[in-house]
Amino acid sequence: MADKKLVEAITSMDEDFAQWYTDVVKKAELIDYTSVKGCMVIKPAGYAIWELIQKQLDDRFKATGVENVYLPMFIPESLLQKEKDHVEGFAPEVAWVTHGGLTPLQERLCVRPTSETLFCDFYKNDIHSYRDLPKVYNQWCSVVRWEKETRPFLRSREFLWQEGHTAHATMEEAEERTIQMLNLYADFCEQVLAMPVIKGRKTEKEKFAGAESTYTIEALMHDGKALQSGTSHNFGDGFAKAFGIQFTDKDNTLKYVYQTSWGMTTRLIGAIIMVHGDNSGLVLPPRVAPTQIVIIPIQQKKEGVLETAYALKDRLSNFRVKVDDSDKSPGWKFSEQEMRGIPIRVEIGPKDIEAGKCVICRRDTREKTEVALDELEVTAGALLEQIQTDMLERARAHRDSHTYVAENMDQLEEILNSKPGFVKAMWCGDQACEDIIKEKYAATSRCMPFEQERLSDTCVCCGKPAKKMVYWGRAY
Ligand SMILES: [Zn+2]
């Protein structure tokens, strides 16, 4: 009975997806709640996933010439106010520091919700000549946004992220970097997180405060809701003009720089949970699994069992491997491996040792195979690759089978009310139509995908000539 307890405590995802999610983050020991509302402790099992994300993203950044820096967490109010759209966008959710010790501050400081203004203030003094360009900087840090509704990883008041901030001599170069980073994000999501994404541009209504254009990658969660998974913004020279960031170009004239910013957050952990998880808990793609293989000894008190388990661990040292030699029953350990989403478990007992084999079981399909002990390294390596590929394909198939087409409002309503997923529909380009769809169905334009299709000639909402195909959906 004890074996089942761990799993029984999770709500079924079909019954109540939100509760299932909460159960998984708690039971898989990814987070804990704290006495600060909307802020969480990221526990070792959760933080290790973030570290793997961070490491692999950072390597990819550096391969494109990105350098890491660190800026302060405080922004003077006057600095935040320099760019009008930007301050309007963020003012409702910033936290303010008003005192230093017991003394009221002359000027209050906000805790960074994002660092565009700080980077601009820094670049203003650091960039003088075309020789100082481009600047391709990134910082890993936490930011604070005073959200009203919070959920672990998806929306918390303080979260971890990276924010890239670049400055260029030309608009073309800035645009190129904006798209380069979006492509990098998309590739990372597919190759590392096994999560397919739609690449596209945000509409004027949905773009970042102060940006000229915002590009996004959008993923579909298991419950049919969309999750914005990363964004890349081209600021043009708007911030440069507001902050006076100028350089002397080769022709000896003074010009404004063109800037970009781009970010990904701990939200991605929420995405992994909601794209791959099942009713037994987490299912981690091997490339972000802190433990890729767990070896579970059967009848571990019998002679030679633990020794063999440890010998196998040594042989699997190319992978992230653990031996679960705790005094819990094997059944309990199996449930735990499933809850934590460890991609492969290896079962090894006295009879297996005698026969020179072990049993390996993959988390994603629960398929079990017997493997000769001498072949374990090769088989396990190939299986991890296979799991990674299969998880991406399954997620893609799920997304594709939950993507619909609507040509008019009746169809849009029917789909949004009965078939959770992405809806592709044509749009006239008028914000009024976006407002109507948002108000009526709580669905937003997710993006205007790079891969455009001509589904019909008229706007799904108003019937006027269509300009763009848009992905619509309810989103986290
Ligand atoms: Zn319209």
Side-chain angles (χ1 to χ4, degrees):
M1 286 311 284
D3 295 351
K4 287 188 103 184
K5 235 180 176 174
L6 195 72
V7 175
E8 273 172 355
I10 323 193
T11 308
S12 147
M13 65 200 304
D14 299 319
E15 210 171 280
D16 184 345
F17 192 79
Q19 190 57 49
W20 168 83
Y21 178 81
T22 308
D23 289 351
V24 172
V25 293
K26 281 289 289 173
K27 285 272 165 187
E29 297 187 74
L30 302 181
I31 67 123
D32 212 340
Y33 296 102
T34 68
S35 51
V36 186
K37 189 187 173 299
C39 296
M40 59 184 171
V41 173
I42 305 180
K43 296 174 78 172
Y47 201 78
I49 299 174
W50 180 241
E51 285 178 313
L52 286 163
I53 289 175
Q54 196 176 27
K55 168 87 177 65
Q56 292 173 81
L57 254 187
D58 202 61
D59 286 348
R60 285 166 187 245
F61 289 165
K62 285 176 179 153
T64 75
V66 173
E67 296 175 289
N68 285 334
V69 293
Y70 189 79
L71 274 63
M73 71 184 301
F74 303 118
I75 307 175
E77 185 167 20
S78 55
L79 212 57
L80 191 68
Q81 284 175 337
K82 280 199 174 172
E83 213 286 340
K84 195 178 109 308
D85 293 337
H86 188 69
V87 67
E88 271 174 25
F90 281 99
E93 53 186 32
V94 293
W96 292 101
V97 177
T98 57
H99 286 69
L102 300 174
T103 320
L105 298 177
Q106 294 237 317
E107 179 180 12
R108 54 181 189 159
L109 304 169
C110 96
V111 183
R112 65 183 164 214
T114 177
S115 305
E116 275 74 12
T117 53
L118 285 171
F119 270 90
C120 284
D121 196 42
F122 162 52
Y123 283 152
K124 182 186 67 183
N125 302 318
D126 204 46
I127 296 170
H128 304 286
S129 148
Y130 68 90
R131 294 187 195 89
D132 300 326
L133 294 172
K135 290 271 187 259
V136 188
Y137 290 165
N138 173 68
Q139 83 169 342
W140 291 96
C141 64
S142 76
V143 287
V144 169
R145 297 180 187 173
W146 217 253
E147 305 276 2
K148 290 189 182 76
E149 298 285 320
T150 59
R151 295 186 70 189
F153 296 119
L154 300 176
R155 205 169 279 281
S156 50
R157 286 186 173 167
E158 181 188 8
F159 58 87
L160 301 177
W161 79 344
Q162 59 68 216
E163 46 178 325
H165 294 270
T166 70
H168 307 268
T170 65
M171 181 63 173
E172 293 70 37
E173 206 184 299
E175 179 68 8
E176 202 176 298
R177 175 56 74 166
T178 314
I179 300 293
Q180 180 184 21
M181 299 320 281
L182 189 84
N183 285 331
L184 187 154
Y185 284 163
D187 188 63
F188 174 81
C189 284
E190 302 210 342
Q191 299 309 312
V192 179
L193 309 183
M195 181 172 85
V197 293
I198 307 285
K199 291 190 275 190
R201 187 175 165 171
K202 288 281 186 192
T203 61
E204 284 297 299
K205 178 183 166 75
E206 299 290 333
K207 76 179 187 185
F208 182 81
E212 198 138 292
S213 49
T214 288
Y215 300 95
T216 179
I217 48 170
E218 299 283 326
L220 195 68
M221 303 297 105
H222 189 85
D223 64 344
K225 277 197 191 168
L227 188 86
Q228 178 180 301
S229 306
T231 48
S232 188
H233 317 288
N234 185 342
F235 292 121
D237 58 3
F239 274 92
K241 283 182 170 157
F243 284 80
I245 313 169
Q246 288 182 298
F247 70 101
T248 309
D249 208 350
K250 286 174 189 159
D251 60 7
N252 224 13
T253 61
L254 211 51
K255 291 178 184 166
Y256 288 103
V257 299
Y258 295 85
Q259 289 170 273
T260 81
S261 81
W262 22 274
M264 274 204 181
T265 78
T266 32
R267 214 172 201 222
L268 290 175
I269 298 174
I272 296 168
I273 299 167
M274 292 195 293
V275 168
H276 301 300
D278 65 18
N279 282 330
S280 303
L282 267 183
V283 181
L284 291 174
R287 289 185 190 148
V288 281
T291 303
Q292 295 172 308
I293 302 170
V294 62
I295 299 168
I296 300 181
I298 315 289
Q299 293 182 281
Q300 65 186 29
K301 290 200 175 115
K302 291 238 165 116
E303 206 191 321
V305 174
L306 275 182
E307 287 84 342
T308 309
Y310 283 115
L312 290 181
K313 179 180 184 241
D314 287 344
R315 278 176 39 201
L316 292 169
S317 62
N318 281 340
F319 311 105
R320 296 185 284 275
V321 191
K322 270 189 182 158
V323 175
D324 187 348
D325 58 4
S326 62
D327 62 358
K328 299 164 192 163
S329 73
W332 179 275
K333 292 177 186 177
F334 294 172
S335 300
E336 247 176 7
Q337 171 250 336
E338 293 189 342
M339 179 63 73
R340 292 176 194 279
I342 299 169
I344 292 178
R345 95 174 165 240
V346 173
E347 303 166 19
I348 180 92
K351 281 182 197 156
D352 301 309
I353 295 168
E354 221 176 270
K357 62 174 183 58
C358 62
V359 173
I360 60 179
C361 178
R362 54 193 275 188
R363 170 64 181 90
D364 62 330
T365 59
R366 291 203 171 77
E367 199 184 325
K368 279 191 176 194
T369 352
E370 285 193 347
V371 178
L373 290 180
D374 340 334
E375 288 165 17
L376 185 60
E377 296 99 310
V378 176
T379 310
L383 190 58
L384 286 171
E385 286 300 311
Q386 190 64 49
I387 293 170
Q388 184 79 32
T389 311
D390 290 353
M391 285 179 73
L392 174 62
E393 285 321 307
R394 264 198 304 279
R396 201 191 300 282
H398 177 268
R399 182 196 66 191
D400 293 349
S401 66
H402 291 79
T403 300
Y404 307 93
V405 172
E407 291 190 9
N408 54 50
M409 286 295 262
D410 287 344
Q411 288 176 2
L412 187 67
E413 178 171 333
E414 197 262 324
I415 295 165
L416 285 170
N417 288 341
S418 60
K419 300 174 192 152
F422 280 134
V423 191
K424 297 195 284 191
M426 301 307 290
W427 176 54
C428 63
D430 200 337
Q431 195 180 312
C433 292
E434 274 183 287
D435 291 340
I436 290 169
I437 290 169
K438 187 167 186 177
E439 198 174 304
K440 276 193 163 172
Y441 312 123
T444 48
S445 66
R446 304 313 310 153
C447 71
M448 301 178 280
F450 292 158
E451 285 180 30
Q452 283 283 311
E453 296 167 58
R454 190 84 186 164
L455 305 167
S456 69
D457 293 329
T458 55
C459 173
V460 66
C461 181
C462 68
K464 281 190 231 154
K467 285 190 181 139
K468 285 276 179 190
M469 182 185 88
V470 168
Y471 274 88
W472 306 85
R474 296 199 176 110
Y476 281 98

